[in-house]
Amino acid sequence: MSKKIGVIEGDGVGPEVVGWGVKTLEAVARGTDLSFQFVPAPVGGTCYIEGGKVLPETSLEVLRGCDAVLKGPMGRPDIEAGIVERDGILALRQLFGQYVNIRPVKLFRGLEAASPLKDKLLEQGVDFVIIRENSEGLYSRMGGLSESSATDINLFTERGVKRILKFAFEVADKRGKRLVSVDKANVLSASLFWRRKFEAMGEAYPDIQCSSQLVDSWCILVLQDPSPQRWDVIVTDNMFGDIISDEAAAIIGSLGMSPSANFCPSGVSMFEPVHGSAPDIAGQGIVNPLATILACAMMMRYSFDREDLAQKIESAVQGALDEGFRTKDICAGGPSCTTQEMGDAVLKHLN
Ligand code: IPM
Ligand code: MN
């Protein structure tokens, strides 16, 4: 079975990490009935500089014909902030109906020293998943900016809220049957709307233990106890999901360890690292490729229903870490390795 994978290299460290993603996919497919055809689809800051468009129509056409998309980070310091984000990243998520953003937060064995939390707090491990609404809220791209004021419309629709909550309940049903909704219902009417829908849906899932947590309080509680006993599945809106997933990435050692799936249950999904284009370290060969490699594992799991291959990639990552490979972001002051050394170590475990 041949699958077409759209490849968006992105900007900054993008080409470096995406290159390792492609190698990972090739390696994991070897000897299976699955094979991949990679098709480049340039999107991002470099596209904008070279052709005046962040998301060229030709790339969009290519992506429409793909079975899944591997995306690198985008953004360049020489382009006004917001252009690439709005016309590239958010446009892709919205155009492809990727209303679910899945962000697993898992501490890999041996990375305790890279976490800012005390060892004692990490004894039980960290293993939860953030389900982030990925199409509306403050990211709806509605609002305006003038000299004297600015607005961003925090749009929550019944359809948008119900479908993400439903997805999260289903994930919770398959995992530990514990679901925490993160909101700001004491201030925002949008959050109150969300909370009411959450509580109503909870009645249809009597086996799932549901609770709501205010976002500010969640940010503290997760630092005091990040354990799997405390957190399993988190569901939240677009803006809060963006913020809390970065905090969660720090807990597990680095943004360089955080993959993400922009998931459309009935269409083309897009897999990417949570981190940005990191122009300060681009081209130096030191970026951590693991977030992108782990995003490829998510592609196996969510787009191709190959849990076996997903776990194979994740075990290979653990294997490379067990051997002591650490890029700079996770070396905790110890010796560090290059992108190439880390990538090679993962591939060795895959083969
Ligand atoms: C992320 C990123 C994006 C977001 C930006 C770059 C638009 O921070 O994927 O978390 O805010 O969603
Ligand atoms: Mn973010």
Side-chain angles (χ1 to χ4, degrees):
M1 213 187 326
S2 176
K3 299 287 185 191
K4 213 185 240 186
I5 311 295
V7 179
I8 303 175
E9 284 198 318
D11 305 311
V13 296
E16 296 170 69
V17 294
V18 168
W20 285 103
V22 168
K23 286 187 183 137
T24 300
L25 291 173
E26 283 170 341
V28 82
R30 215 164 287 140
T32 72
D33 57 349
L34 204 57
S35 67
F36 298 117
Q37 185 200 342
F38 297 99
V39 276
V43 183
T46 303
C47 267
Y48 178 70
I49 301 261
E50 287 171 1
K53 284 206 133 171
V54 177
L55 177 51
E57 196 54 45
T58 45
S59 294
L60 201 49
E61 268 317 300
V62 167
L63 295 172
R64 284 204 176 100
C66 288
D67 296 297
V69 177
L70 175 62
K71 174 192 164 294
M74 303 177 177
R76 286 173 53 137
D78 53 352
I79 301 177
E80 192 191 324
I83 294 179
V84 172
E85 289 81 354
R86 276 194 304 269
D87 299 348
I89 304 166
L90 305 191
L92 282 170
R93 290 174 183 169
Q94 289 172 0
L95 284 169
F96 285 94
Q98 296 157 349
Y99 67 86
V100 186
N101 192 303
I102 309 168
R103 299 194 159 181
V105 181
K106 183 175 160 10
L107 177 67
F108 277 79
R109 184 172 60 234
L111 288 193
E112 294 77 7
S115 171
L117 294 191
K118 294 192 181 84
D119 285 350
K120 181 123 195 54
L121 289 173
L122 301 172
E123 269 167 10
Q124 312 299 316
V126 179
D127 187 3
F128 59 90
V129 58
I130 297 171
I131 307 292
R132 166 186 178 189
E133 201 292 319
N134 211 32
S135 64
E136 43 182 46
L138 283 171
Y139 283 65
S140 64
R141 297 193 285 163
M142 292 162 75
L145 174 66
S146 77
E147 285 300 319
S148 56
S149 72
T151 50
D152 291 289
I153 293 178
N154 196 13
L155 175 74
F156 283 44
T157 64
E158 178 166 39
R159 172 172 174 265
V161 172
K162 276 189 172 168
R163 66 184 180 180
I164 190 69
L165 292 176
K166 177 107 186 5
F167 187 90
F169 272 100
E170 295 297 329
V171 173
D173 198 40
K174 287 191 206 91
R175 281 181 59 121
K177 304 210 184 286
R178 286 174 293 133
L179 178 60
V180 176
S181 165
V182 171
D183 67 30
K184 188 70 184 172
N186 57 346
V187 175
L188 305 176
S189 29
S191 271
L192 188 56
F193 177 82
W194 168 286
R195 189 180 284 212
R196 285 180 180 155
K197 302 282 176 223
F198 175 70
E199 287 172 355
M201 197 173 287
E203 284 170 21
Y205 292 88
D207 298 348
I208 297 180
Q209 190 193 317
C210 302
S211 60
S212 290
Q213 197 75 61
L214 295 172
V215 62
D216 48 351
S217 132
W218 186 87
C219 286
I220 287 194
L221 293 173
V222 75
L223 297 180
Q224 293 169 335
D225 178 5
S227 73
Q229 287 72 29
R230 185 75 170 89
W231 313 107
D232 188 39
V233 183
I234 313 289
V235 63
T236 192
D237 74 29
N238 214 336
M239 186 76 257
F240 297 152
D242 178 46
I243 298 168
I244 72 170
S245 60
D246 272 30
E247 184 193 20
I251 293 173
I252 58 160
S254 169
L255 269 173
M257 296 303 300
S258 287
S260 160
N262 298 280
F263 187 61
C264 170
S266 59
V268 185
S269 298
M270 181 168 79
F271 301 83
E272 61 178 339
V274 174
H275 66 74
S277 58
D280 52 324
I281 59 161
Q284 294 180 28
I286 58 169
V287 62
N288 187 347
L290 295 182
T292 305
I293 289 172
L294 292 168
C296 294
M298 295 186 81
M299 183 191 287
M300 294 304 107
R301 177 170 292 128
Y302 294 105
S303 278
F304 303 133
D305 206 19
R306 290 299 297 257
E307 180 61 29
D308 57 331
L309 300 183
Q311 286 186 17
K312 203 172 167 199
I313 296 173
E314 288 160 355
S315 305
V317 166
Q318 184 65 69
L321 294 171
D322 286 346
E323 275 192 83
F325 287 95
R326 297 283 185 278
T327 43
K328 212 165 173 188
D329 56 314
I330 49 173
C331 73
S336 64
C337 73
T338 63
T339 308
Q340 167 103 38
E341 286 164 335
M342 181 64 96
D344 280 338
V346 173
L347 288 194
K348 191 187 85 186
H349 284 276
L350 271 182
N351 290 328

